[in-house]
Amino acid sequence: MGNSSVSDREGKEGGKELANPGSDSDSSKMGVEKNPAPSRVSRVFNSVFRYFHLLNYAEPTAFDYLLLVTGVITSIGAGIPFPILGILFGELVDELNGATCAADTPHGSRAAEDYQAAINQKVILVVAAALAQFGLIYIYSVCWNLFGERLSHRLREKYFRSLLRQEVTFFDKLPAGEVSSRLSADINTIRNGTSEKVGVYLGVVSLFVASYIIAFIKGAKLAGILVSLVPAFLLMTFVGGHYVGKFATRASEHVASASSIALESLSNVMVVHAFRANDRLEAKYAAKLSSAKKEGIKKAVAIAIQSGVLYFVAFAACGLAYWQGSITIADVVAGRTEGTTVGSIYTIIFILVDASIVISQVSPYLQIFSSAAAALEKLKSDIDRESKIDGTVDISDHQSAEFFRGDIQLQNVTFSYPSRPDVPVIQDVSLQFPSGKTTAIVGLSGSGKSTVAGLLTRLYDCDGGDILIDGRSIRDINVRQLRNYIGLVQQDPMLLNRSVLENIALGLVNSSRSGHLDFQPILLGTELSKVAEAVRGGQDILEAARVYGEKVVEIVHLVLHAAKLADAEVFLGTLEYGFGTDVGTNGDLLSGGQKQRVALARALVKNPRILLLDEATSSLDSASEQRIQAAIEQASHGRTVISIAHRLATVKNADKIVVMRNGRVIEQGSHVELMAKDADYAALVRLQNMGSETASVGTALGGKESADIKDMTSSGSEDGAQDANEKAGPATEKAVDKEGLGEEDTAQPTWPILKRMGSLTRPYLFWLFIAFFAALIVGGTYLGSALIFGNTIGSLSPCNTEQAIRAAGSLFGLLYFVLAIIEFFANFTSWSTFGLVAEKVLYVIKVLSFRSLFRQDLQWHQSENRTPSSLLSFITSDTAAIGSLTGSIIGNMFSIAVNFVGAIILAHIVAWKIAVVCLAVVPIMLGSGFMKLWIVARFDEKHAKAFEDSVGISVEAVNSIKTVAALSLEKEVLGRYQRSLAEPRKEVTRSILLSNAFLALSMAVGNLLYALVYWWGSKQIVAGLYTQTQFFIVLVSLLVSAQLWGHLFTMAPEITRAGRAAGRVCALIDLGSSDSLDSSAQGSQGTQATDHESMIESKIPAPVSGQGLAVNFRQVKFSYPARPNRQILKGLDLDILPGQFCALVGPSGAGKSTIISLLERMYSIESGTIEVGGFDINSKMEPVFRDEIGLVPQDSVLFDGSIRFNVSLGARPGIEPSDAEIEGACKLANIHDTIASLPDGYDTQCGNNGGQLSGGQRQRLSIARALVRKPRLLLLDESTSALDAESERLLQDGLEKATKGITVVAIAHRLHTIRRADVIFMIEDGRCVDKGTHEELMGRSESYRVNVLHQTLDG
């Protein structure tokens, strides 16, 4: 809490700027510009301090600090045995020299045994040091791993909690895809950067320091010369690290914005399919990735230069050291100096050079650490942000005792959205909503009606003026407390991905009724989801609830009552699992009308003091609406009701009606008063009235009306009964999904994955050849150094003459320098080319994954528990996992493997007796490494689903942030998030304790190998079988190899994660089955060669007027894949002639939207045929026929991007619409003037999911999008439900112009909009029960008359 005062102070200072709407982004820019750019040195130090800050971030507990301190101490301790071994080895060299010289002299037999005894004693010390090292490595790797896991867990939670705290406007700039990328990719980066790698690095640094200390004690002059290594290394590390961090940050920003494009497209897959817009969205996605690829390649080059220089310095230093050492030893042999032995020089060079090589080996870790620090910076900017409207602050006791009457007043309120500060939405509005009365707000779409609802619930704060409740300013009331008095039904109702029971009960989470407080533990726990599960298992809901106690039963009673009020009982009765039905992501498995009723029940369940209805019944048929209206009027006695509506019939009984236009109130009064005034309201009523045609029928109906309505709905309400359980996935799909993306993919065999990855890398074979060749040379240089080293030690033996020693020193010193130059170029080439290929391949993988996802039909997307966020994880988490392995790490693995094979061969050639014993230890080393790999893989496999679910929960919360905020669900969502990760949290400790034992073994076994080899080698030398030169060549070649293997296994987690991710991604790409990026163009035409019909159709010229398409349904039967035994369409027959305007009417849920989905071939039918323009649409491979169809879906889905981009998505594939065509379509949709009045015109950004526009504006844009492709068949699904009467009339005129001669199929519950239809089909219970013109049906169909009558205001 220490920094809260600072942030409070900042908040107050920032408040001046933030009061200016929309300046939040600008003010931050200004803040940046005021500070001068920091110098390079300060930036480097910042990156170091940033890392320390990361370790201390997110409130570590005492246990975390214990882990950190223990981890640091044992890591440092683990580095110390090595230099001590160096001393022992130096003494062994002297002993061996003695033994060699003794073996050369005839009287040396006694001495040889003494030497062997001395050597054995030192070998025992080496074993002791190795065992100590094993213990220390084990402790530090456990500590660091646990620390990293706990930190990443706390960060996940802290980040998510801080997101839930932010006000709604914050999310205008934060798409959900970015959140998912932060929570998976960025947190994984942080976990990698705080795991055992930190311990390894600290151990190496302590080894480095200890080595220098010992070196100075042993021989100050030589050690002094080698100090030059340190500044060279440090400089390279810091300068390189700075550039690497810079490019990495830039790349990850581009990747995050690409993810958000992907998520948005996946969330609206039906629209993408209907317009075949996947190529356009793919191009937008690929453009973002392309920028990321460029930054990634720059990063790879920076790392390549860094590692090349590191190796160059290490090898060059060896050359310098041996040359200097040879001079010293020559002086000793000549008797000029004393005290320096070959052993002490060997110790100095061995520990210093080895320390340098190892520190350069772990140089990739620095990149991992700096990436982790950079990832925190991005998370931190969101975490530390002060929310302007924080709905998570708890209500204090004295606040909860307060009581609201619900008297609301707006005083001179002005408001504009922060994203468009120059467009006023509310202009100087003063209004009174008296308590206990019903007030209705009506007016044109975009006049600011829904904004009033947002301001009252404090989703936004007004820019000027004030809003008072019971005389108190709304800003002085605790946000959570304010919201607990308000029940809100939003224009686009959002449901969360759980059962209907849980969704309705969410309304109780923040309730002002004291009796509801006792429910909190249950609402925030898992009892209700268990009840829903029991209901799905066939139990009665009340019986299932009794198991969990009386409180749960009470909640269920409240839910049932609310569902009854909201008229949801009827349709829930027709669903297979009733209240236990899962509603799917965003509630997509229910129809629009069903979603609206559940949302209404959720608002009514807490019996709120203030009820805010924003278009609460726009998606319902008249009969259903009438029942709800009656229920609400009954339930609204004694509470304040504010109803926003376009259907004026629903508000004519309101106590007061307020008419708004362009953000101002233009008149207010009761229905009777306003009709008498005969101004704007009266004009709207006249527009919406059916007029005299129905007057004659009005009296004839009389008392039969209510009976009629009952009959109608009993048959209706199936439309979403259809989708509700799509979860189960069709039986027929199962086979496909085995290759698809179920859980089965985890055990994909390795060979096909490698083949698949091979085919993806084929275009870069030249670069790969260079990269592997360079890596091969890197592997070979280690062997070169072993040869040079063995010869050097042999030549520097004091048995030799002074001249021989000097000559050998110069020669081998020079050879080392040559090796250093080779190392520089080989490393630079290997790292940069691997990095280049990796970035290119990742780009291809991501684009192909994206393409493959959109090649699958809607049925696939909705089955097998797939959600947009789980599918997104293929593109984010899985490619990130593959990315962490590619490039430098593959190069590293390859050179280690080359070195390993080379070392074995070389050792056998040089001294096979010694080599054979060395080899015996290798399986232990490899085995322990592989065990570590296996354990990590098992853990990952087990918990991948949990991590995926947790990301899904966070993405859903961001997508429905208005709902989460308005219902104060922050704690509920956070609790659910924590529960989803509880299982892996428990298991992770066990996994870490076990797997790190093997890691420690694989790292420490190298030193046991040293002990064995020295003991056995000394026996051979004492026996005179081998020379010292041969012994050292074998020793160094095998031991450097062993050490490198140890380091390779610290990469174990990355290798397993990448392997599994590659399996999943390959399975996904194979579903889309295209190998190269160029196939996007062929993708749509590739199949046409065999599909002659589609070929003919695709060549049909652009439509001329009068070229509508005929539509025929012949005995169509259809059930949703989730419930094959429940038919939605039961032998439907429809005949629509070319150019006809046909309307589908009927109760909410009769299967009308299903007909639209089937016309677009979103699902496959069971039997019958559907013909469009004379072609059977189910007989084709490619849905080319969609090019002739324009769709306006029930939910007006827009994408993040400009208005121009959104409208042009509707154009036919491969055709770029001109500005004139876009404007023409917008004029027809009656939105051109609105767009022209915006400051940026057609370049105005629509925001995430079109959130910057009002519901009516979104609807008109989606109509313009359908018209811009000049379709021959136009499908309108509830296309004007969000429009006021005037906009609707203008739109009707535009549509009439646009649809001359083309076929139109429209669904509407507002009968007057389709009164002019050429033919009206009455759909009930999946059949067409009647058809005719409006007049014919008025004469003979009673249910049709009931609907019409309800919509007549003066009838």
Side-chain angles (χ1 to χ4, degrees):
M1 294 301 293
N3 55 2
S4 64
S5 56
V6 180
S7 51
D8 286 351
R9 203 163 55 242
E10 282 171 6
K12 284 172 190 145
E13 290 164 9
K16 297 175 195 134
E17 282 178 351
L18 296 176
N20 165 20
S23 67
D24 46 354
S25 57
D26 302 338
S27 60
S28 63
K29 283 177 200 153
M30 283 154 50
V32 173
E33 281 158 12
K34 282 173 198 163
N35 302 334
S39 70
R40 178 151 301 169
V41 175
S42 72
R43 280 206 298 266
V44 166
F45 278 109
N46 278 349
S47 73
V48 176
F49 289 122
R50 270 198 329 216
Y51 186 74
F52 289 128
H53 180 59
L54 165 66
L55 295 179
N56 191 26
Y57 197 67
E59 296 87 37
T61 59
F63 181 59
D64 290 302
Y65 282 123
L66 178 70
L67 286 175
L68 188 64
V69 172
T70 314
V72 169
I73 292 170
T74 48
S75 311
I76 290 170
I80 294 180
F82 185 80
I84 293 172
L85 290 173
I87 299 175
L88 293 172
F89 291 156
E91 291 171 357
L92 280 171
V93 167
D94 286 340
E95 307 279 7
L96 288 175
N97 268 332
T100 311
C101 295
D104 292 345
T105 54
H107 314 294
S109 57
R110 175 76 206 102
E113 283 155 31
D114 292 346
Y115 280 128
Q116 189 64 56
I119 288 171
N120 291 354
Q121 194 186 351
K122 296 208 170 56
V123 167
I124 290 166
L125 287 174
V126 172
V127 171
L131 291 174
Q133 194 178 18
F134 169 75
L136 291 167
I137 290 177
Y138 178 65
I139 294 169
Y140 84 62
S141 54
V142 166
C143 287
W144 278 110
N145 263 314
L146 268 178
F147 180 80
E149 281 292 344
R150 289 170 61 93
L151 171 65
S152 64
H153 190 89
R154 291 199 310 275
L155 263 175
R156 266 197 195 98
E157 209 166 287
K158 193 179 171 79
Y159 179 65
F160 190 38
R161 186 179 272 132
S162 77
L163 282 185
L164 292 173
R165 209 179 54 225
Q166 303 305 334
E167 74 279 6
V168 171
T169 48
F170 171 74
F171 293 93
D172 294 344
K173 298 192 183 61
L174 186 80
E178 198 159 317
V179 172
S180 142
S181 158
R182 297 261 176 278
L183 279 170
S184 47
D186 287 0
I187 300 259
N188 278 345
T189 306
I190 288 174
R191 189 182 62 190
N192 278 339
T194 50
S195 58
E196 79 277 2
K197 296 182 184 62
V198 190
V200 173
Y201 195 74
L202 282 176
V204 168
V205 171
S206 88
L207 177 155
F208 198 73
V209 173
S211 301
Y212 268 101
I213 294 169
I214 290 169
F216 270 102
I217 296 168
K218 284 275 183 187
K221 181 184 170 195
L222 187 51
I225 291 173
L226 289 182
V227 166
S228 60
L229 280 173
V230 180
F233 276 134
L234 287 182
L235 190 69
M236 201 50 242
T237 301
F238 282 128
V239 175
H242 159 69
Y243 282 106
V244 171
K246 182 168 99 176
F247 296 133
T249 309
R250 281 191 203 162
S252 85
E253 280 164 10
H254 292 305
V255 169
S257 42
S259 308
S260 66
I261 294 169
L263 179 66
E264 202 171 35
S265 310
L266 286 168
S267 306
N268 305 316
V269 106
M270 180 168 174
V271 175
V272 177
H273 277 339
F275 289 110
R276 295 180 70 207
N278 33 345
D279 287 351
R280 282 192 168 83
L281 288 163
E282 186 187 301
K284 187 178 176 189
Y285 174 74
K288 290 284 181 200
L289 284 184
S290 179
S291 311
K293 176 175 72 172
K294 285 182 190 130
E295 296 300 331
I297 290 172
K298 287 182 196 167
K299 181 182 87 171
V301 172
I303 296 172
I305 294 173
Q306 191 179 11
S307 70
V309 171
L310 286 170
Y311 281 101
F312 173 76
V313 172
F315 279 94
C318 283
L320 178 68
Y322 283 119
W323 173 57
Q324 281 300 315
S326 66
I327 295 171
T328 316
I329 290 171
D331 288 346
V332 171
V333 169
R336 284 193 281 278
T337 53
E338 298 222 309
T340 309
T341 62
V342 181
S344 59
I345 285 179
Y346 170 69
T347 297
I348 294 169
I349 297 175
F350 174 76
I351 59 181
L352 289 193
V353 174
D354 204 273
S356 306
I357 286 183
V358 175
I359 207 163
S360 58
Q361 266 299 313
V362 295
S363 66
Y365 292 178
L366 280 178
Q367 171 206 349
I368 294 174
F369 303 151
S370 63
S371 300
L376 176 70
E377 285 303 297
K378 290 198 294 259
L379 293 174
K380 203 166 154 308
S381 61
D382 289 345
I383 290 176
D384 293 349
R385 183 179 183 277
E386 283 289 303
S387 173
K388 290 179 233 166
I389 307 169
D390 187 350
T392 58
V393 178
D394 282 326
I395 305 167
S396 63
D397 291 340
H398 81 89
Q399 282 173 331
S400 59
E402 295 170 356
F403 176 76
F404 286 119
R405 289 194 317 282
D407 191 41
I408 303 173
Q409 231 178 334
L410 272 66
Q411 296 181 340
N412 311 99
V413 171
T414 56
F415 175 75
S416 46
Y417 287 100
S419 50
R420 292 206 297 276
D422 34 8
V423 182
V425 182
I426 303 271
Q427 307 186 45
D428 197 24
V429 168
S430 295
L431 267 180
Q432 175 95 23
F433 299 105
S435 72
K437 298 270 194 275
T438 299
T439 310
I441 306 178
V442 300
L444 296 186
S445 126
S447 59
K449 305 181 299 296
S450 298
T451 307
V452 171
L455 291 171
L456 291 179
T457 42
R458 269 199 88 189
L459 294 177
Y460 308 101
D461 272 339
C462 49
D463 302 334
D466 207 354
I467 299 174
L468 307 178
I469 294 192
D470 295 353
R472 285 175 63 192
S473 167
I474 198 167
R475 290 174 195 250
D476 300 336
I477 302 170
N478 173 303
V479 181
R480 201 177 171 83
Q481 183 191 13
L482 167 75
R483 289 173 183 164
N484 77 17
Y485 281 95
I486 298 176
L488 170 71
V489 181
Q490 286 161 317
Q491 193 170 7
D492 300 322
M494 281 295 230
L495 303 181
L496 299 182
N497 190 1
R498 27 203 112 163
S499 64
V500 173
L501 168 69
E502 290 165 275
N503 264 295
I504 297 177
L506 287 177
L508 293 165
V509 168
N510 186 23
S511 167
S512 58
R513 308 279 166 189
S514 54
H516 296 170
L517 280 175
D518 308 341
F519 299 151
Q520 292 310 307
I522 295 165
L523 294 167
L524 298 178
T526 56
E527 287 91 336
L528 288 178
S529 67
K530 286 175 187 160
V531 172
E533 210 165 302
V535 172
R536 287 196 291 275
Q539 259 184 294
D540 173 70
I541 187 163
L542 287 166
E543 276 173 32
R546 280 196 192 94
V547 178
Y548 299 100
E550 274 313 299
K551 288 272 181 275
V552 179
V553 176
E554 262 182 81
I555 291 177
V556 169
H557 277 301
L558 286 170
V559 168
L560 292 172
H561 177 63
K564 190 173 176 185
L565 282 180
D567 191 40
E569 262 190 333
V570 182
F571 90 81
L572 284 168
T574 65
L575 292 182
E576 194 170 353
Y577 301 129
F579 281 89
T581 306
D582 271 321
V583 302
T585 316
N586 301 338
D588 285 347
L589 299 183
L590 299 182
S591 74
Q594 292 166 340
K595 264 201 282 200
Q596 226 159 22
R597 282 177 274 191
V598 173
L600 187 58
R602 183 175 65 188
L604 293 172
V605 73
K606 68 175 174 185
N607 193 6
R609 182 128 305 282
I610 301 167
L611 188 57
L612 255 176
L613 305 173
D614 186 357
E615 292 274 351
T617 54
S618 62
S619 296
L620 300 181
D621 59 281
S622 302
S624 188
E625 183 168 52
Q626 204 170 2
R627 281 194 300 281
I628 291 177
Q629 208 54 43
I632 289 177
E633 279 171 23
Q634 203 183 331
S636 60
H637 290 307
R639 70 177 99 208
T640 310
V641 179
I642 300 170
S643 175
I644 295 167
H646 288 314
R647 288 197 203 170
L648 303 181
T650 59
V651 297
K652 72 174 181 195
N653 297 343
D655 299 297
K656 178 163 92 173
I657 295 171
V658 175
V659 184
M660 290 185 73
R661 184 188 283 263
N662 294 338
R664 290 195 164 84
V665 173
I666 48 176
E667 55 180 352
Q668 46 184 314
S670 69
H671 173 68
V672 177
E673 290 163 9
L674 292 174
M675 288 304 287
K677 250 186 171 177
D678 197 19
D680 288 67
Y681 178 74
L684 287 172
V685 170
R686 277 196 296 278
L687 274 173
Q688 226 173 64
N689 232 341
M690 294 293 286
S692 56
E693 291 172 86
T694 57
S696 57
V697 191
T699 47
L701 271 155
K704 290 199 298 202
E705 188 176 324
S706 55
D708 250 55
I709 292 171
K710 284 195 182 73
D711 293 344
M712 269 184 64
T713 46
S714 64
S715 69
S717 305
E718 283 226 353
D719 189 30
Q722 54 178 343
D723 329 317
N725 259 7
E726 228 130 75
K727 296 272 184 236
T732 52
E733 285 264 291
K734 284 283 191 290
V736 179
D737 279 3
K738 276 284 197 294
E739 336 158 289
L741 308 163
E743 287 303 296
E744 301 91 340
D745 55 28
T746 46
Q748 276 232 339
T750 314
W751 177 239
I753 296 177
L754 288 175
K755 261 173 62 177
R756 195 76 186 79
M757 295 306 278
S759 71
L760 292 171
T761 49
R762 199 172 295 131
Y764 315 109
L765 280 180
F766 173 69
W767 291 112
L768 274 179
F769 174 73
I770 293 177
F772 276 113
F773 184 68
L776 181 86
I777 293 175
V778 171
T781 47
Y782 292 118
L783 301 178
S785 69
L787 279 168
I788 299 172
F789 180 80
N791 279 302
T792 312
I793 293 290
S795 326
L796 299 190
S797 162
C799 309
N800 298 340
T801 62
E802 181 190 347
Q803 282 74 23
I805 291 172
R806 280 181 195 275
S810 301
L811 171 67
F812 293 124
L814 182 64
L815 285 177
Y816 258 116
F817 188 70
V818 173
L819 206 57
I821 295 170
I822 296 172
E823 272 285 324
F824 172 75
F825 286 108
N827 270 291
F828 171 72
T829 310
S830 157
W831 285 60
S832 55
T833 44
F834 270 121
L836 174 84
V837 173
E839 289 298 333
K840 285 179 181 293
V841 170
L842 274 181
Y843 169 77
V844 174
I845 286 178
K846 284 180 181 174
V847 176
L848 287 180
S849 304
F850 183 91
R851 179 177 305 161
S852 184
L853 286 172
F854 288 99
R855 289 255 168 105
Q856 311 315 314
D857 56 15
L858 189 64
Q859 199 159 311
W860 183 89
H861 278 266
Q862 289 182 342
S863 47
E864 296 275 310
N865 274 343
R866 296 190 183 97
T867 60
S869 56
S870 69
L871 291 174
L872 178 71
S873 69
F874 287 106
I875 296 181
T876 52
S877 327
D878 285 353
T879 47
I882 296 171
S884 69
L885 178 65
T886 46
S888 51
I889 297 176
I890 285 186
N892 233 340
M893 283 161 56
F894 181 69
S895 49
I896 290 172
V898 165
N899 171 35
F900 183 67
V901 175
I904 292 173
I905 295 169
L906 180 71
H908 278 81
I909 293 169
V910 174
W912 68 268
K913 282 185 181 170
I914 301 177
V916 165
V917 174
C918 289
L919 271 185
V921 191
V922 171
I924 300 172
M925 208 165 63
L926 296 188
S928 53
F930 282 121
M931 280 303 292
K932 154 97 178 168
L933 269 175
W934 182 74
I935 289 167
V936 173
R938 282 274 313 283
F939 177 80
D940 269 11
E941 209 160 300
K942 204 164 163 191
H943 298 298
K945 185 87 187 79
F947 287 114
E948 204 173 280
D949 289 348
S950 70
V951 172
I953 291 169
S954 62
V955 167
E956 178 180 59
V958 172
N959 275 334
S960 20
I961 191 66
K962 286 185 183 170
T963 305
V964 171
L967 297 173
S968 300
L969 300 181
E970 294 90 357
K971 281 187 182 155
E972 197 275 346
V973 172
L974 189 67
R976 198 176 169 84
Y977 184 75
Q978 288 164 333
R979 284 197 297 278
S980 73
L981 290 173
E983 197 54 41
R985 241 196 130 165
K986 278 202 296 250
E987 286 248 335
V988 74
T989 314
R990 226 182 98 247
S991 157
I992 283 173
L993 287 170
L994 198 59
S995 64
N996 286 297
F998 292 107
L999 175 75
L1001 184 64
S1002 64
M1003 287 177 77
V1005 92
N1007 290 330
L1008 294 170
L1009 182 56
Y1010 269 121
L1012 176 68
V1013 171
Y1014 263 104
W1015 170 77
W1016 177 246
S1018 62
K1019 279 182 95 68
Q1020 305 304 311
I1021 291 173
V1022 169
L1025 291 173
Y1026 289 113
T1027 64
Q1028 222 176 323
T1029 303
Q1030 289 167 311
F1031 169 67
F1032 276 110
I1033 290 174
V1034 172
L1035 178 81
V1036 173
S1037 61
L1038 283 176
L1039 297 189
V1040 167
S1041 193
Q1043 261 181 323
L1044 293 179
W1045 269 108
H1047 286 300
L1048 181 64
F1049 284 114
T1050 60
M1051 291 292 179
E1054 279 79 0
I1055 297 170
T1056 40
R1057 282 184 200 126
R1060 292 188 58 247
R1064 285 194 296 267
V1065 168
C1066 289
L1068 171 64
I1069 293 175
D1070 288 343
L1071 278 180
S1073 71
S1074 74
D1075 266 10
S1076 68
L1077 286 180
D1078 333 328
S1079 57
S1080 84
Q1082 302 150 14
S1084 45
Q1085 285 111 32
T1087 44
Q1088 291 177 13
T1090 52
D1091 186 357
H1092 301 297
E1093 289 185 359
S1094 61
M1095 208 161 125
I1096 298 161
E1097 196 182 345
S1098 62
K1099 286 183 181 156
I1100 289 174
V1104 193
S1105 61
Q1107 265 203 339
L1109 294 173
V1111 174
N1112 309 97
F1113 277 65
R1114 295 262 177 282
Q1115 281 300 305
V1116 173
K1117 293 186 178 170
F1118 171 73
S1119 332
Y1120 278 87
R1123 282 172 319 199
N1125 51 359
R1126 177 172 296 246
Q1127 277 199 335
I1128 304 301
L1129 300 184
K1130 304 172 180 176
L1132 179 76
D1133 283 307
L1134 289 181
D1135 284 301
I1136 303 167
L1137 302 174
Q1140 259 190 343
F1141 185 135
C1142 119
L1144 305 177
V1145 299
S1148 182
K1152 302 185 300 293
S1153 293
T1154 306
I1155 294 173
I1156 298 271
S1157 297
L1158 293 178
L1159 272 174
E1160 285 277 11
R1161 206 181 83 186
M1162 294 293 166
Y1163 302 96
S1164 307
I1165 54 175
E1166 288 166 22
S1167 65
T1169 55
I1170 301 175
E1171 292 184 353
V1172 174
F1175 289 110
D1176 179 354
I1177 62 172
N1178 287 297
S1179 65
K1180 304 199 171 151
M1181 271 286 295
E1182 281 286 321
V1184 182
F1185 63 90
R1186 287 181 187 156
D1187 293 353
E1188 306 292 346
I1189 304 178
L1191 168 74
V1192 181
Q1194 198 167 6
D1195 304 321
S1196 315
V1197 170
L1198 294 182
F1199 294 88
D1200 194 2
S1202 66
I1203 290 178
R1204 176 179 284 109
F1205 170 73
N1206 268 292
V1207 176
S1208 68
L1209 276 182
R1212 297 176 181 227
I1215 296 172
E1216 208 45 62
S1218 65
D1219 284 357
E1221 286 173 311
I1222 291 175
E1223 284 174 28
C1226 290
K1227 281 176 183 156
L1228 289 172
N1230 183 31
I1231 180 94
H1232 175 70
D1233 297 340
T1234 313
I1235 298 171
S1237 68
L1238 296 169
D1240 296 332
Y1242 280 85
D1243 293 323
T1244 304
Q1245 292 298 310
C1246 298
N1248 194 21
N1249 293 330
Q1252 301 295 324
L1253 306 171
S1254 77
Q1257 289 165 344
R1258 282 204 295 276
Q1259 210 155 36
R1260 283 176 289 169
L1261 271 182
S1262 70
I1263 290 170
R1265 177 177 64 197
L1267 293 177
V1268 82
R1269 77 190 301 157
K1270 305 195 174 90
R1272 301 170 63 196
L1273 168 60
L1274 184 62
L1275 307 177
L1276 304 172
D1277 188 354
E1278 287 282 348
S1279 63
T1280 57
S1281 59
L1283 298 184
D1284 55 278
E1286 189 175 330
S1287 306
E1288 186 169 18
R1289 168 57 57 88
L1290 288 165
L1291 177 61
Q1292 289 297 339
D1293 297 343
L1295 278 176
E1296 222 162 276
K1297 243 187 287 175
T1299 57
K1300 276 212 173 58
I1302 72 172
T1303 312
V1304 180
V1305 179
I1307 295 178
H1309 291 134
R1310 296 200 198 170
L1311 296 178
H1312 74 274
T1313 55
I1314 42 178
R1315 175 162 123 238
R1316 303 200 206 90
D1318 301 320
V1319 58
I1320 296 169
F1321 294 96
M1322 285 208 62
I1323 309 290
E1324 283 181 20
D1325 196 21
R1327 292 190 179 87
C1328 176
V1329 293
D1330 204 345
K1331 69 173 188 175
T1333 61
H1334 172 64
E1335 286 74 15
E1336 290 166 6
L1337 291 174
M1338 282 301 286
R1340 66 170 182 251
S1341 169
E1342 212 148 317
S1343 57
Y1344 187 77
R1345 283 203 300 273
V1346 173
N1347 259 319
V1348 172
L1349 188 80
H1350 171 56
Q1351 297 216 352
T1352 311
L1353 283 134
D1354 50 11

